[in-house]
Every structure is written in structure tokens, then in C-alpha cells.
Amino acid sequence: MFLSEFMLQQTQTSRVEQKLPEFLRVFPDFASLAAARLSQVLSLWQGMGYNRRAGYLHRSAQEVVQRYHGFLPEDPQLLRSLPGIGSYTSNSIPAFAYNRPTVFIETNIRRVYLHHFFYGQQGVADGELMPLIAETLDTQNPRRWYYALMDYGAYLSRIVINPNRRSRQYTKQSPFEGSVRQVRGAILRILTAQGQGVSRDEVYTRVYQDLGLGDSPPRDYETRFLQASSTLINDGLILQDGDGTYNIP
């Protein structure tokens, strides 16, 4: 449950369904995940996007082993102290893993309450939905209730115009092609495949070749590359040595 909730952040369920069994075969428990090299985790994560989640997942597993002896806490406050876990995940894990009546919101849940309680209203904040979610929660079996609620939200997405567009939290995702996110993914793909340090200049060249940008990079490519590599360094996913070599920590 811990792993699937991490994966489902910003990723479609269909992609998680394909990746989750493979991940569990390699890392069946917190101990094996915590002991793995970050490069192993990133390599297996490829195709999921938002690679910083893989780094958070790895660090969280290490903290669960070190602080909680390999047992995941069910207290939302303790969960929120782990890397990469925010308000939603810290409450969804106790509900699904331990059947605790915690209150949280995600895309499908939001869709249900907007459709039935705020029909036609624009700019509805999550703070207006949360009291209704709490009031209608099945406190005896919250796990089953949330499963049903999220399934119903997924069903609504197929039969009505997306109510989430009327949420104050709604943002349209920018295109992936040509984005800094795409360059970040290409940098990590090259470094994890190499298995050892690669010079910054070589990574720079191989990324635009990997992305099929032709014999020479487009005008704004250098800016995107610098943004991508800087954020990867800041996220702790790559290291830059003094000689300009990139490595996975």
C-alpha cells in the first residue's frame, strides 16, 4: 500500500498496475528497498515520470527501517514526517493499510463531491469539500468506502464533463514533449544505464540525441538542460563532481 500510494501520485492507475508487480518482485519489503542503491531504484522507476518520487521513496524506506524498525507507522503525523509524503498520502495510507477513518481528498473523490454538492459552481476550494467528506465517511469500514468512492469518481469521469475543472485546485498539465521534465528523465535514463560517471558534456550531447532533436540542439535546449540538471542536483538524484562528471549518488 505504501508503494502503490507513492506511485499513484501524479501517475495514471494503468501505468502503476504494470509497474507495481515488477517493483515488488525486486523490493518485497522496506529492508530490501532501503538497502538498494538509488541507481537501482531510479532504473526500475523509469516510465513512471516525476523521478523525484523515486528518491523520496528510497529515503522514506531508509527512515522506516532506521526509525521504525521496518514497520510503517499508522499515525498520519508520523507518516507526514517521511520524505515525499504530504497531507493526502499521510491520510490515505492509514485508511487503506490499517482501515483507519482518516479524511483525505484526491482527484476521483473531488469529482464526486463537486458533481453532487456543488453542481455548476466555479472555483470551489478543497476546504469546502473536506467537511462533507468527513460527514459522509463510513467510519466502520473506511477502506471499503474509499474504494467505492474512488471507483464511482472514475465512472463519473466517463459519463460527465469533468467536474474537477470547477475546482480551485484545477490546473492543466503542460505538455511533456520538449519540457524540462522530459530532459530530466533523459538525463537519469543515461546515467542509470551507464552505471558510472558521465561527463556533463557527454550527457548534454547524448540527451538531445536520445530525444531525437537532430544533429544539433535547438536554440532553447541549453536552458532546459541546465534547469533539468540543476533540479536533479537539488533533489539529490544526481551528483556533479568537481571535474563536471555526473553520477547517481
Side-chain angles (χ1 to χ4, degrees):
M1 184 54 64
F2 178 82
L3 178 58
S4 64
E5 286 300 296
F6 249 98
M7 287 183 164
L8 286 165
Q9 298 171 7
Q10 300 172 299
T11 300
Q12 294 177 336
T13 303
S14 57
R15 290 168 65 190
V16 173
E17 286 175 339
Q18 295 175 358
K19 183 65 70 170
L20 183 61
E22 182 183 2
F23 227 93
L24 288 172
R25 279 195 299 271
V26 179
F27 305 120
D29 50 33
F30 285 111
S32 59
L33 180 56
R37 292 179 60 85
L38 178 58
S39 57
Q40 292 177 275
V41 181
L42 288 170
S43 179
L44 197 55
W45 189 270
Q46 284 183 22
M48 293 286 291
Y50 296 97
N51 290 284
R52 66 166 59 91
R53 289 179 299 161
Y56 288 146
L57 175 67
H58 188 227
R59 285 162 48 201
S60 285
Q62 291 173 334
E63 292 201 23
V64 169
V65 169
Q66 292 166 8
R67 291 164 54 187
Y68 305 111
H69 310 290
F71 294 96
L72 186 68
E74 56 181 285
D75 184 337
Q77 252 188 319
L78 295 178
L79 288 168
R80 202 171 294 125
S81 71
L82 297 174
I85 293 188
S87 177
Y88 164 74
T89 310
S90 65
N91 285 286
S92 65
I93 288 174
F96 293 129
Y98 301 112
N99 209 23
R100 284 188 56 167
T102 52
V103 179
F104 59 89
I105 189 168
E106 55 81 64
T107 298
N108 287 305
I109 294 172
R110 184 181 291 114
R111 186 179 292 120
V112 171
Y113 285 86
L114 284 170
H115 178 70
H116 286 284
F117 294 97
F118 296 88
Y119 190 81
Q121 295 186 40
Q122 301 291 329
V124 181
D126 281 354
E128 299 176 71
L129 304 180
M130 293 297 279
L132 292 169
I133 297 171
E135 186 177 348
T136 54
L137 176 63
D138 179 355
T139 57
Q140 299 303 307
N141 199 332
R143 180 192 291 126
R144 184 172 60 183
W145 167 250
Y146 277 122
Y147 281 151
L149 192 61
M150 294 164 82
D151 283 348
Y152 178 48
Y155 166 73
L156 280 178
S157 71
R158 300 192 295 271
I159 64 170
V160 299
I161 297 173
N162 188 5
N164 284 339
R165 294 179 182 176
R166 298 187 279 105
S167 167
R168 192 177 299 175
Q169 277 67 38
Y170 178 76
T171 55
K172 190 173 182 179
Q173 191 176 64
S174 58
F176 179 70
E177 289 294 323
S179 66
V180 172
R181 286 188 293 125
Q182 186 183 34
V183 177
R184 278 172 56 100
I187 292 173
L188 288 176
R189 190 160 53 246
I190 289 166
L191 293 177
T192 53
Q194 189 77 14
Q196 57 186 0
V198 184
S199 72
R200 177 195 174 282
D201 290 343
E202 184 179 351
V203 174
Y204 180 89
T205 300
R206 287 173 60 180
V207 165
Y208 73 74
Q209 292 174 341
D210 183 71
L211 297 180
L213 300 177
D215 296 329
S216 60
R219 185 180 303 173
D220 65 342
Y221 169 71
E222 183 173 4
T223 300
R224 281 183 285 151
F225 179 84
L226 290 174
Q227 288 178 338
S229 56
S230 294
T231 57
L232 287 170
I233 292 170
N234 290 338
D235 290 341
L237 297 181
I238 67 172
L239 296 174
Q240 184 174 11
D241 297 337
D243 61 359
T245 301
Y246 284 172
N247 279 287
I248 302 291

Short mmCIF file of all heavy atoms in Angstrom, two decimals, residues 53-88:
data_model
loop_
_atom_site.label_atom_id
_atom_site.label_comp_id
_atom_site.label_asym_id
_atom_site.label_seq_id
_atom_site.Cartn_x
_atom_site.Cartn_y
_atom_site.Cartn_z
N ARG A 53 10.04 11.35 -7.01
CA ARG A 53 9.28 10.45 -6.14
C ARG A 53 10.08 9.19 -5.82
O ARG A 53 9.97 8.64 -4.72
CB ARG A 53 7.94 10.08 -6.79
CG ARG A 53 6.93 11.20 -6.82
CD ARG A 53 5.66 10.73 -7.50
NE ARG A 53 5.90 10.33 -8.87
CZ ARG A 53 5.08 9.56 -9.58
NH1 ARG A 53 3.97 9.08 -9.03
NH2 ARG A 53 5.34 9.24 -10.82
N ALA A 54 10.87 8.72 -6.79
CA ALA A 54 11.70 7.54 -6.55
C ALA A 54 12.73 7.83 -5.48
O ALA A 54 13.03 6.98 -4.62
CB ALA A 54 12.38 7.09 -7.84
N GLY A 55 13.30 9.05 -5.51
CA GLY A 55 14.25 9.44 -4.48
C GLY A 55 13.59 9.53 -3.12
O GLY A 55 14.14 9.07 -2.11
N TYR A 56 12.40 10.12 -3.07
CA TYR A 56 11.66 10.22 -1.81
C TYR A 56 11.31 8.82 -1.28
O TYR A 56 11.40 8.55 -0.09
CB TYR A 56 10.36 11.00 -2.01
CG TYR A 56 10.54 12.49 -2.22
CD1 TYR A 56 9.67 13.19 -3.06
CD2 TYR A 56 11.55 13.20 -1.59
CE1 TYR A 56 9.81 14.55 -3.26
CE2 TYR A 56 11.69 14.57 -1.79
CZ TYR A 56 10.82 15.23 -2.62
OH TYR A 56 10.96 16.59 -2.82
N LEU A 57 10.89 7.95 -2.19
CA LEU A 57 10.52 6.59 -1.81
C LEU A 57 11.71 5.87 -1.16
O LEU A 57 11.58 5.22 -0.12
CB LEU A 57 10.04 5.83 -3.04
CG LEU A 57 9.71 4.35 -2.85
CD1 LEU A 57 8.50 4.18 -1.95
CD2 LEU A 57 9.45 3.69 -4.22
N HIS A 58 12.86 6.00 -1.78
CA HIS A 58 14.07 5.36 -1.29
C HIS A 58 14.44 5.88 0.10
O HIS A 58 14.71 5.10 1.03
CB HIS A 58 15.21 5.63 -2.29
CG HIS A 58 16.46 4.88 -2.00
ND1 HIS A 58 17.71 5.48 -2.01
CD2 HIS A 58 16.67 3.58 -1.71
CE1 HIS A 58 18.63 4.57 -1.73
NE2 HIS A 58 18.04 3.42 -1.55
N ARG A 59 14.41 7.20 0.26
CA ARG A 59 14.77 7.80 1.55
C ARG A 59 13.73 7.47 2.62
O ARG A 59 14.08 7.24 3.79
CB ARG A 59 14.90 9.32 1.38
CG ARG A 59 16.19 9.73 0.67
CD ARG A 59 16.12 11.14 0.12
NE ARG A 59 15.63 12.10 1.09
CZ ARG A 59 15.10 13.29 0.78
NH1 ARG A 59 15.00 13.64 -0.50
NH2 ARG A 59 14.69 14.12 1.71
N SER A 60 12.46 7.42 2.23
CA SER A 60 11.42 7.06 3.19
C SER A 60 11.60 5.64 3.69
O SER A 60 11.44 5.35 4.89
CB SER A 60 10.03 7.22 2.56
OG SER A 60 9.67 8.58 2.46
N ALA A 61 11.94 4.73 2.78
CA ALA A 61 12.17 3.33 3.19
C ALA A 61 13.33 3.25 4.18
O ALA A 61 13.28 2.49 5.16
CB ALA A 61 12.47 2.48 1.96
N GLN A 62 14.37 4.03 3.94
CA GLN A 62 15.51 4.03 4.85
C GLN A 62 15.10 4.54 6.23
O GLN A 62 15.52 4.01 7.26
CB GLN A 62 16.64 4.89 4.27
CG GLN A 62 17.28 4.27 3.03
CD GLN A 62 18.27 5.19 2.36
OE1 GLN A 62 18.19 6.41 2.48
NE2 GLN A 62 19.23 4.62 1.65
N GLU A 63 14.25 5.58 6.26
CA GLU A 63 13.80 6.11 7.55
C GLU A 63 12.87 5.14 8.27
O GLU A 63 12.91 5.03 9.50
CB GLU A 63 13.12 7.47 7.35
CG GLU A 63 14.09 8.55 6.90
CD GLU A 63 13.58 9.95 7.20
OE1 GLU A 63 12.72 10.11 8.09
OE2 GLU A 63 14.03 10.89 6.52
N VAL A 64 12.02 4.44 7.52
CA VAL A 64 11.14 3.44 8.14
C VAL A 64 11.97 2.34 8.80
O VAL A 64 11.66 1.88 9.90
CB VAL A 64 10.16 2.84 7.10
CG1 VAL A 64 9.44 1.63 7.68
CG2 VAL A 64 9.14 3.89 6.67
N VAL A 65 13.04 1.92 8.13
CA VAL A 65 13.91 0.89 8.69
C VAL A 65 14.66 1.42 9.91
O VAL A 65 14.74 0.76 10.95
CB VAL A 65 14.91 0.38 7.62
CG1 VAL A 65 15.98 -0.49 8.24
CG2 VAL A 65 14.15 -0.39 6.54
N GLN A 66 15.21 2.62 9.80
CA GLN A 66 16.05 3.16 10.87
C GLN A 66 15.23 3.61 12.08
O GLN A 66 15.61 3.34 13.23
CB GLN A 66 16.87 4.34 10.33
CG GLN A 66 17.91 3.93 9.31
CD GLN A 66 18.48 5.12 8.53
OE1 GLN A 66 18.20 6.28 8.85
NE2 GLN A 66 19.26 4.85 7.51
N ARG A 67 14.09 4.29 11.82
CA ARG A 67 13.33 4.89 12.92
C ARG A 67 12.24 3.98 13.46
O ARG A 67 11.91 4.04 14.65
CB ARG A 67 12.69 6.21 12.45
CG ARG A 67 13.70 7.32 12.19
CD ARG A 67 13.12 8.44 11.37
NE ARG A 67 11.89 8.99 11.92
CZ ARG A 67 11.14 9.90 11.29
NH1 ARG A 67 11.50 10.34 10.10
NH2 ARG A 67 10.03 10.34 11.85
N TYR A 68 11.68 3.12 12.58
CA TYR A 68 10.52 2.31 13.00
C TYR A 68 10.77 0.81 12.83
O TYR A 68 9.82 0.03 12.80
CB TYR A 68 9.28 2.74 12.22
CG TYR A 68 8.99 4.23 12.35
CD1 TYR A 68 9.14 5.09 11.27
CD2 TYR A 68 8.60 4.76 13.57
CE1 TYR A 68 8.90 6.45 11.40
CE2 TYR A 68 8.34 6.12 13.71
CZ TYR A 68 8.50 6.95 12.62
OH TYR A 68 8.25 8.32 12.75
N HIS A 69 12.05 0.43 12.66
CA HIS A 69 12.44 -0.99 12.61
C HIS A 69 11.70 -1.76 11.51
O HIS A 69 11.38 -2.94 11.67
CB HIS A 69 12.22 -1.65 13.97
CG HIS A 69 12.81 -0.88 15.12
ND1 HIS A 69 14.17 -0.77 15.31
CD2 HIS A 69 12.21 -0.16 16.11
CE1 HIS A 69 14.41 -0.03 16.38
NE2 HIS A 69 13.24 0.36 16.89
N GLY A 70 11.42 -1.06 10.41
CA GLY A 70 10.82 -1.72 9.26
C GLY A 70 9.30 -1.81 9.29
O GLY A 70 8.70 -2.39 8.39
N PHE A 71 8.67 -1.23 10.32
CA PHE A 71 7.20 -1.25 10.43
C PHE A 71 6.65 0.14 10.14
O PHE A 71 7.02 1.11 10.81
CB PHE A 71 6.77 -1.71 11.81
CG PHE A 71 7.13 -3.14 12.11
CD1 PHE A 71 8.29 -3.44 12.81
CD2 PHE A 71 6.33 -4.19 11.66
CE1 PHE A 71 8.63 -4.76 13.09
CE2 PHE A 71 6.67 -5.50 11.92
CZ PHE A 71 7.82 -5.79 12.63
N LEU A 72 5.78 0.23 9.16
CA LEU A 72 5.23 1.52 8.76
C LEU A 72 4.26 2.04 9.81
O LEU A 72 3.31 1.35 10.17
CB LEU A 72 4.51 1.38 7.41
CG LEU A 72 4.00 2.68 6.79
CD1 LEU A 72 5.17 3.56 6.36
CD2 LEU A 72 3.10 2.37 5.58
N PRO A 73 4.46 3.26 10.33
CA PRO A 73 3.53 3.79 11.33
C PRO A 73 2.17 4.08 10.71
O PRO A 73 2.07 4.34 9.51
CB PRO A 73 4.21 5.08 11.80
CG PRO A 73 5.12 5.46 10.70
CD PRO A 73 5.57 4.19 10.06
N GLU A 74 1.13 4.04 11.53
CA GLU A 74 -0.21 4.34 11.02
C GLU A 74 -0.69 5.72 11.45
O GLU A 74 -1.79 6.14 11.05
CB GLU A 74 -1.22 3.29 11.47
CG GLU A 74 -1.32 3.06 12.96
CD GLU A 74 -2.33 1.97 13.29
OE1 GLU A 74 -3.55 2.23 13.20
OE2 GLU A 74 -1.90 0.84 13.61
N ASP A 75 0.10 6.44 12.21
CA ASP A 75 -0.24 7.79 12.63
C ASP A 75 0.06 8.77 11.48
O ASP A 75 1.21 8.86 11.04
CB ASP A 75 0.59 8.16 13.86
CG ASP A 75 0.23 9.53 14.43
OD1 ASP A 75 -0.31 10.38 13.68
OD2 ASP A 75 0.48 9.76 15.62
N PRO A 76 -0.94 9.51 10.97
CA PRO A 76 -0.70 10.44 9.87
C PRO A 76 0.41 11.45 10.15
O PRO A 76 1.16 11.81 9.24
CB PRO A 76 -2.05 11.14 9.70
CG PRO A 76 -3.05 10.15 10.19
CD PRO A 76 -2.37 9.45 11.33
N GLN A 77 0.53 11.90 11.41
CA GLN A 77 1.58 12.86 11.74
C GLN A 77 2.97 12.26 11.56
O GLN A 77 3.88 12.91 11.04
CB GLN A 77 1.42 13.35 13.18
CG GLN A 77 0.92 14.79 13.26
CD GLN A 77 0.95 15.32 14.67
OE1 GLN A 77 0.62 14.62 15.62
NE2 GLN A 77 1.34 16.56 14.82
N LEU A 78 3.14 11.02 11.98
CA LEU A 78 4.43 10.35 11.80
C LEU A 78 4.71 10.09 10.33
O LEU A 78 5.84 10.26 9.86
CB LEU A 78 4.45 9.03 12.58
CG LEU A 78 4.37 9.14 14.10
CD1 LEU A 78 4.35 7.75 14.73
CD2 LEU A 78 5.53 9.96 14.65
N LEU A 79 3.70 9.72 9.59
CA LEU A 79 3.87 9.48 8.15
C LEU A 79 4.26 10.76 7.42
O LEU A 79 5.08 10.75 6.51
CB LEU A 79 2.58 8.91 7.55
CG LEU A 79 2.26 7.46 7.92
CD1 LEU A 79 0.84 7.11 7.51
CD2 LEU A 79 3.25 6.51 7.25
N ARG A 80 3.68 11.88 7.85
CA ARG A 80 3.95 13.16 7.18
C ARG A 80 5.40 13.60 7.38
O ARG A 80 5.91 14.43 6.62
CB ARG A 80 2.99 14.23 7.69
CG ARG A 80 2.82 15.42 6.75
CD ARG A 80 1.70 16.36 7.20
NE ARG A 80 0.42 15.68 7.11
CZ ARG A 80 -0.43 15.56 8.12
NH1 ARG A 80 -0.14 16.07 9.30
NH2 ARG A 80 -1.58 14.95 7.96
N SER A 81 6.08 13.04 8.36
CA SER A 81 7.48 13.40 8.59
C SER A 81 8.42 12.68 7.62
O SER A 81 9.60 13.01 7.55
CB SER A 81 7.88 13.07 10.03
OG SER A 81 7.95 11.66 10.23
N LEU A 82 7.91 11.71 6.86
CA LEU A 82 8.74 10.97 5.92
C LEU A 82 8.88 11.75 4.62
O LEU A 82 7.94 12.45 4.21
CB LEU A 82 8.14 9.59 5.64
CG LEU A 82 8.05 8.64 6.84
CD1 LEU A 82 7.30 7.36 6.44
CD2 LEU A 82 9.43 8.30 7.38
N PRO A 83 10.01 11.63 3.92
CA PRO A 83 10.22 12.36 2.67
C PRO A 83 9.16 12.03 1.62
O PRO A 83 8.83 10.86 1.39
CB PRO A 83 11.60 11.88 2.21
CG PRO A 83 12.28 11.43 3.45
CD PRO A 83 11.20 10.85 4.31
N GLY A 84 8.63 13.06 0.97
CA GLY A 84 7.70 12.87 -0.13
C GLY A 84 6.28 12.56 0.26
O GLY A 84 5.44 12.29 -0.61
N ILE A 85 5.96 12.59 1.55
CA ILE A 85 4.60 12.29 1.99
C ILE A 85 3.94 13.57 2.48
O ILE A 85 4.42 14.21 3.41
CB ILE A 85 4.59 11.22 3.11
CG1 ILE A 85 5.06 9.89 2.53
CG2 ILE A 85 3.22 11.09 3.72
CD1 ILE A 85 4.93 8.72 3.47
N GLY A 86 2.84 13.92 1.83
CA GLY A 86 2.09 15.12 2.18
C GLY A 86 0.77 14.78 2.84
O GLY A 86 0.57 13.65 3.31
N SER A 87 -0.14 15.73 2.81
CA SER A 87 -1.41 15.58 3.50
C SER A 87 -2.21 14.39 2.97
O SER A 87 -2.75 13.59 3.75
CB SER A 87 -2.23 16.86 3.37
OG SER A 87 -3.48 16.71 3.98
N TYR A 88 -2.32 14.27 1.63
CA TYR A 88 -3.12 13.18 1.07
C TYR A 88 -2.54 11.82 1.46
O TYR A 88 -3.24 10.97 2.02
CB TYR A 88 -3.21 13.30 -0.45
CG TYR A 88 -3.68 12.00 -1.09
CD1 TYR A 88 -5.01 11.62 -0.98
CD2 TYR A 88 -2.79 11.15 -1.73
CE1 TYR A 88 -5.46 10.42 -1.52
CE2 TYR A 88 -3.22 9.95 -2.27
CZ TYR A 88 -4.55 9.59 -2.16
OH TYR A 88 -4.98 8.39 -2.67
#
